[in-house]
Amino acid sequence: MAFEAKNAVYNGGPFQSYWWADEHEPIHLAIRVSLKDLIDESLIKEAWEELKRYYPLIDCIPDDYDEEILFFKGEGESVPIKTERIPRIAGGAVKNRGFVLTFYENTLTLSAYHSLADEIGLMRLASKLLTVYFAKKNGDDTDCLTKKGIRRPEEYFVQNTMLNPTDFSPQAPVLYHDIADVFMDSGTGNDENGITTGLLVFSSGLFENICDKYNISADEMMILVMARAIYRLFPEERRALSFGVMTDFRDTFDVKETIAPCSKRMPLVLDYEDVIQREELLAKQISSKRSMQKIDDYIKSHVALENTYAVLNIRNACTCINYAGCLEVGEYTSEICGVTVSDYSANALFLVQTGEKTYVSMQYGKETDRYMTAVKDVLTGLGIHDISSKKAYRIEGEV
Amino acid sequence: MSRTEAFDGGPFSPFWWHDKETLYHNKFRVTLDHKVNPKILREAWDKTKKVYPLIDWVPDIKEGSMIFYHEDGKNDPIESRVPILPGGELTAHRVFALTYYEDTVTMSAYHCIVDGGGINAIFSTMIYFYLEAYTGKGEETPPVMTKEDRPPKDYFIPLSSVDRGDFERQPLITYPKRKGMFIDLDMCPDEDGEISIARIKVPVGAFIGACKKIGANPSAMLAILMAKAAYALHPDRFGDLAFVLTMSTRAAFGIEESIANCSANLLIPVQYQDITGDEMSKAASKIRSVIDYQRRQDFLKTLTEFYETYDWILAKRYAFLTYIGKLDVGENTKHIKAFEMTDDSTDSMYMMELNGEFVISFQFGKVTEKYMGIIREILLSFGVESEVETETYHIVKDSAEAVC
């Protein structure tokens, strides 16, 4: 610990197990956005400056003290780095900042320690950054962030360990009945030096129509699709499937603006018999299981549990469904041609929507292409045509 | 070497890796009122192996399961001042080691096979047989397991294999507020990596009397003592505390004969105002009700499923508390002069009853002495006089060689 705790700019509250992983994993949570045009170096710098003024903590140095995350003022300042390979987050090359912006040709990557931002938080930063960037590029500065004034950290950095659930009736958690009955594909792990990821892209309109038809949300639809895809890949398998479904706590605690981790995966188990039902019935079953986990009493009970356990991770999930939210850049949506979200988890997909396209990043180790093909087939069967895909590729560890 | 499979013990416990590494295996040691007779001890140990054949098998991991094998060799009791490392050459790779020296007998074992209750059961059988042969007097109905040649599935029943059937899942116990909670960072091995322990003893009658006065049971009393000690030693801290009460689920699940890991970690959150007020009975009733809630079968089944669903580590738990129960082998118990249980922890308090006294162990790393001192004062404030049974000392590491 290089700093004195008393000099902290802000105490970000008790850290979650992400912190230990962040310190050791070779890559970190990242959103990679490809634009139609080459990135303008000076404009992206200006946009980043503006974002830092709106979220000053992203230019601070995070450190841990007595299991809490503290933010300190650092030497120099964080600037966008032109590079294809991501430098180590919170390392010397990025002046120890926990949030890092890099760019190369037409792609920019916003990466962060997972203990400082969840997918939804990081997506919010990416949305704001790109909105400012496009506005500047188009000579339009009517919506620049700083006009809204400087904000206090507690307005945008509240992680769930800082929340004290009150006034709720404690609910029993959803749990496996018997872990031996839950299928897990052991061939989808990551290797030590990086991860493999692939991308599926299809029309948001078509996808929403299907969701509406079955009356389920986008992330619930991905549970349905993955469940079908996995039994397609393992036609002999009859054990149940377990999903870790990212659940956002922001609305329940009225901390909508926070970028800090304020969500967690909750287990959802589907039996083989559930999955082979007609889509309508399967969809109904998924949404009824999920609706229980979305009520305030359940979320508050779960947050209380998160605060009791420094580590609380689902032991066996065939797929983690991470709903990363929407990349919102208003009228400039057409400037975006690709969005990939990645982190170091295995058996995970990340769902991102923009006005026009829906992007699904998939991480299944060396099996990624096979999983993508299976998902594509299921989606096509549901009536989603014109799915383009980016073949699985490796994201090398940070340097 | 010949090796044949004896028993499939089901999913392996992660304690396995820890057992392979640590030099501080779980140990039970008694001091007798006479010099140990090696011949009688060996016969008692052989007889114990007939009651628990599994202790003479060699466990190994195969495809995520714990498989027990018959193997050549024998793990006779070994004369050594320092307890022998289980699982090594000297015990013929058996993971139970029995060591004797002068008037003491020590059993050490792998935690992936037995928990404190399990080692207590096996130890009790062994010491019963020993004292029966030594004194020539046994009990008509022995208070320990003596039935021979049972199939291992009758007594190796880990918590995870208990048939839960249908039950109503219960809300779990959680901390009211994580922020501000504290632990004692000096509860750790010292600079040389040594782990300390000290023990006091108190008359059972006096201790139970103090419990009754405020409406506590022994487990709740341990939590009260520890909480009072924590706030007394940290006068500037007012945040919440949490204790883990390790409790055997054998009675709740009707698996009394199991020697396998059957412990549940019950949570006792404590708030400053609960414990520092004048009305200790209020604190006691609050703590008792949280313990009682967690002792119900539906709750314990929920907790078992929680262990299967999540990898977890508790945040900011101040200490582990365990009320082990009674060491009782009948009339001959009087030949046992002292008892100790040790492991590799630096944040544990154990209590065991022996011959009308509670023996309370403090295993608190660098601050063991400090906690023993303050808890004796707190006991006194409840009207309970204690006596130092064993001054603070360093727990000896298991040895791969006999030391005489």
Side-chain angles (χ1 to χ4, degrees):
Chain A
M1 166 95 198
F3 300 92
E4 293 274 351
K6 61 179 163 43
N7 296 328
V9 174
Y10 182 58
N11 182 331
F15 70 60
Q16 316 191 32
S17 59
Y18 297 128
W19 180 266
W20 290 311
D22 283 335
E23 287 189 314
H24 297 106
E25 295 293 6
I27 76 156
H28 294 90
L29 178 63
I31 296 175
R32 198 172 297 252
V33 186
S34 306
L35 308 183
K36 222 162 62 186
D37 302 326
L38 286 180
I39 290 166
D40 183 307
E41 204 166 331
S42 70
L43 290 183
I44 197 69
K45 279 194 170 134
E46 284 177 34
W48 183 243
E49 283 309 309
E50 202 150 314
L51 194 73
K52 287 191 319 191
R53 278 198 293 277
Y54 197 59
Y55 295 103
L57 284 183
I58 67 176
D59 197 13
C60 287
I61 296 179
D63 208 341
D64 68 304
Y65 179 76
D66 197 13
E67 295 187 13
E68 296 189 340
I69 294 175
L70 304 183
F71 288 94
F72 297 91
K73 273 248 169 312
E75 303 259 304
E77 58 168 347
S78 149
V79 291
I81 300 170
K82 190 173 185 176
T83 171
E84 206 174 355
R85 183 102 180 246
I86 309 299
R88 174 126 195 113
I89 312 305
V94 300
K95 301 196 178 74
N96 305 310
R97 266 59 172 184
F99 291 84
V100 172
L101 179 64
T102 62
F103 64 101
Y104 190 76
E105 293 176 349
N106 68 332
T107 302
L108 66 81
T109 306
L110 184 60
S111 329
Y113 261 22
H114 207 325
S115 42
L116 305 180
D118 58 4
E119 290 85 348
I120 293 165
L122 199 61
M123 192 58 74
R124 174 159 301 143
L125 290 176
S127 296
K128 297 242 194 278
L129 174 77
L130 283 166
T131 305
V132 175
Y133 172 78
F134 291 132
K136 287 184 183 297
K137 196 168 164 235
N138 287 277
D140 166 12
D141 64 355
T142 50
D143 191 31
C144 66
L145 301 170
T146 41
K147 285 188 181 155
K148 290 175 185 156
I150 306 246
R151 298 174 314 156
R152 292 174 302 123
E154 19 312 61
E155 289 176 57
Y156 62 88
F157 194 97
V158 180
Q159 53 171 334
N160 54 260
T161 55
M162 300 163 84
L163 301 169
N164 294 315
T166 49
D167 299 327
F168 68 105
S169 136
Q171 302 292 302
V174 172
L175 300 168
Y176 299 154
H177 186 60
D178 186 347
I179 196 165
D181 296 341
V182 181
F183 169 69
M184 177 86 174
D185 180 359
S186 55
T188 54
N190 293 316
D191 66 49
E192 281 171 21
N193 307 310
I195 59 143
T196 302
T197 185
L199 182 67
L200 294 176
V201 188
F202 42 88
S203 148
S204 285
L206 268 182
F207 187 62
E208 275 159 27
N209 285 346
I210 308 278
C211 293
D212 288 347
K213 179 177 161 194
Y214 297 120
N215 198 22
I216 54 176
S217 62
D219 56 336
E220 288 164 357
M221 181 50 96
M222 287 315 298
I223 301 172
L224 185 152
V225 170
M226 276 312 299
R228 287 283 175 86
I230 286 168
Y231 285 125
R232 186 180 277 253
L233 287 166
F234 299 91
E236 306 292 315
E237 187 57 60
R238 292 294 177 272
R239 276 173 290 176
L241 304 181
S242 152
F243 296 88
V245 190
M246 189 59 80
T247 308
D248 190 8
F249 308 143
R250 287 170 171 79
D251 283 349
T252 301
F253 291 94
D254 199 18
V255 288
K256 293 181 188 62
E257 288 296 310
T258 186
I259 58 168
C262 202
S263 58
K264 198 66 185 276
R265 292 162 183 157
M266 290 184 185
L268 184 145
V269 178
L270 293 174
D271 291 326
Y272 175 75
E273 292 71 28
D274 299 336
V275 178
I276 57 172
Q277 298 177 99
R278 290 205 332 269
E279 278 88 6
E280 290 80 3
L281 296 174
L282 174 55
K284 209 166 168 185
Q285 192 157 11
I286 292 171
S287 76
S288 93
K289 286 187 184 213
R290 275 298 286 164
S291 66
M292 276 172 49
Q293 294 178 332
K294 288 178 183 168
I295 60 169
D296 283 353
D297 274 348
Y298 192 89
I299 287 183
K300 287 182 174 181
S301 304
H302 187 85
V303 168
L305 210 55
E306 291 281 342
N307 290 347
T308 304
Y309 292 89
V311 171
L312 189 69
N313 295 321
I314 302 176
R315 281 179 68 188
N316 189 352
C318 70
T319 285
C320 299
I321 306 278
N322 299 297
Y323 182 63
C326 298
L327 183 67
E328 286 174 31
V329 291
E331 58 190 295
Y332 307 113
T333 300
S334 58
E335 302 265 348
I336 309 280
C337 33
V339 186
T340 294
V341 181
S342 56
D343 73 2
Y344 200 71
S345 50
N347 299 309
L349 68 79
F350 297 86
L351 176 67
V352 184
Q353 296 183 294
T354 66
E356 293 176 354
K357 299 281 182 199
T358 293
Y359 298 90
V360 178
S361 300
M362 297 182 59
Q363 297 179 184
Y364 293 84
K366 57 183 192 315
E367 301 294 329
T368 302
D369 278 324
R370 282 184 62 220
Y371 273 75
M372 281 172 60
T373 306
V375 167
K376 205 170 154 180
D377 291 348
V378 174
L379 282 168
T380 308
L382 289 168
I384 298 176
H385 304 291
D386 293 326
I387 303 171
S388 62
S389 56
K390 185 169 176 181
K391 245 179 94 63
Y393 65 102
R394 262 180 68 85
I395 297 179
E396 299 293 332
E398 295 155 6
V399 284
Chain B
M1 188 193 300
S2 88
R3 182 184 233 212
T4 51
E5 192 172 318
F7 174 55
D8 180 344
F12 90 99
S13 148
F15 282 128
W16 172 263
W17 306 114
H18 179 257
D19 287 325
K20 289 272 163 200
E21 287 290 317
T22 187
L23 290 175
Y24 295 100
H25 287 91
N26 290 10
K27 281 191 281 287
F28 251 58
R29 165 183 291 215
V30 292
T31 307
L32 302 174
D33 60 359
H34 58 271
K35 192 166 186 296
V36 174
N37 180 321
K39 184 170 167 285
I40 296 179
L41 184 65
R42 194 172 63 241
E43 283 161 7
W45 186 221
D46 285 342
K47 231 170 139 181
T48 307
K49 288 180 197 166
K50 289 199 177 111
V51 178
Y52 293 108
L54 181 141
I55 62 179
D56 200 22
W57 298 340
V58 176
D60 207 347
I61 301 300
K62 195 173 122 192
E63 288 157 12
S65 289
M66 172 96 60
I67 310 290
F68 292 86
Y69 295 91
H70 292 294
E71 251 187 47
D72 295 343
K74 212 159 181 285
N75 68 336
D76 282 333
I78 294 164
E79 185 175 12
S80 173
R81 191 158 42 82
V82 180
I84 296 299
L85 182 76
E89 295 288 328
L90 273 189
T91 63
H93 303 109
R94 273 71 172 164
V95 297
F96 289 82
L98 194 65
T99 311
Y100 65 96
Y101 189 75
E102 293 177 350
D103 55 356
T104 65
V105 182
T106 307
M107 184 186 289
S108 9
Y110 270 25
H111 200 343
C112 61
I113 313 290
V114 284
D115 63 5
I119 194 169
N120 184 13
I122 299 168
F123 192 91
S124 297
T125 294
M126 186 276 300
I127 208 73
Y128 171 83
F129 285 147
Y130 173 85
L131 290 171
E132 182 187 41
Y134 182 81
T135 61
K137 275 185 295 188
E139 302 281 327
E140 208 164 298
T141 339
V144 301
M145 174 56 67
T146 53
K147 218 161 112 192
E148 297 187 357
D149 298 320
R150 294 171 303 155
K153 63 170 176 42
D154 287 5
Y155 58 89
F156 189 80
I157 313 163
L159 190 53
S160 55
S161 73
V162 172
D163 181 14
R164 290 184 287 272
D166 279 330
F167 70 100
E168 200 181 325
R169 285 198 186 121
Q170 304 292 307
L172 296 174
I173 294 295
T174 54
Y175 298 164
K177 191 177 178 197
R178 176 149 158 205
K179 185 119 179 76
M181 289 181 73
F182 69 104
I183 53 175
D184 190 330
L185 294 170
D186 287 327
M187 285 187 185
C188 61
D190 70 13
E191 290 67 21
D192 304 318
E194 299 285 355
I195 294 174
S196 293
I197 190 170
R199 276 190 299 279
I200 59 172
K201 54 184 184 181
V202 295
V204 169
F207 190 89
I208 296 291
C211 289
K212 282 198 172 136
K213 211 182 264 176
I214 58 168
N217 56 11
S219 295
M221 192 60 164
L222 292 181
I224 290 173
L225 293 173
M226 200 57 206
K228 280 187 158 293
Y231 288 116
L233 293 174
H234 299 88
D236 55 335
R237 302 302 294 259
F238 309 101
D240 293 356
L241 298 174
F243 300 109
V244 176
L245 181 69
T246 56
M247 198 203 78
S248 165
T249 61
R250 289 175 176 81
F253 289 146
I255 48 167
E256 284 86 350
E257 296 187 0
S258 178
I259 57 162
N261 280 289
C262 302
S263 297
N265 286 327
L266 310 189
L267 265 184
I268 308 180
V270 175
Q271 294 183 290
Y272 179 78
Q273 64 272 21
D274 294 344
I275 216 75
T276 48
D278 292 332
E279 284 182 80
M280 249 335 100
S281 56
K282 264 193 186 161
S285 109
K286 199 171 160 185
I287 292 171
R288 268 194 86 149
S289 75
V290 79
I291 295 173
D292 290 345
Y293 171 75
Q294 295 173 89
R295 274 183 173 154
R296 291 174 312 122
Q297 215 187 64
D298 274 3
F299 181 88
L300 290 168
K301 288 181 174 178
T302 308
L303 199 59
T304 311
E305 289 192 349
F306 174 72
Y307 295 158
E308 298 223 340
T309 307
Y310 285 101
D311 285 320
W312 53 272
I313 297 176
L314 273 166
K316 295 275 169 96
R317 42 151 187 65
Y318 201 93
F320 285 90
L321 312 173
T322 312
Y323 172 39
I324 305 172
K326 206 170 180 177
L327 181 59
D328 181 10
V329 294
E331 192 62 23
N332 281 332
T333 311
K334 62 175 187 279
H335 296 286
I336 303 174
K337 290 291 142 204
F339 152 84
E340 77 168 21
M341 185 173 109
T342 59
D343 56 23
D344 68 344
S345 69
T346 52
D347 54 1
S348 305
M349 175 151 83
Y350 306 110
M351 185 161 85
M352 177 92 154
E353 184 182 337
L354 174 67
N355 292 324
E357 280 174 322
F358 278 131
V359 182
I360 306 177
S361 297
F362 305 100
Q363 211 175 306
F364 290 133
K366 291 200 298 198
V367 281
T368 298
E369 179 94 35
K370 209 157 114 181
Y371 279 86
M372 177 166 78
I374 192 93
I375 284 177
R376 291 189 68 203
E377 279 176 34
I378 297 162
L379 277 168
L380 205 55
S381 75
F382 282 110
V384 180
E385 289 202 37
S386 60
E387 190 185 316
V388 175
E389 193 245 10
T390 308
E391 297 281 359
T392 309
Y393 72 97
H394 292 155
I395 300 172
V396 196
K397 293 187 181 78
D398 299 340
S399 168
E401 307 280 334
V403 182
C404 286

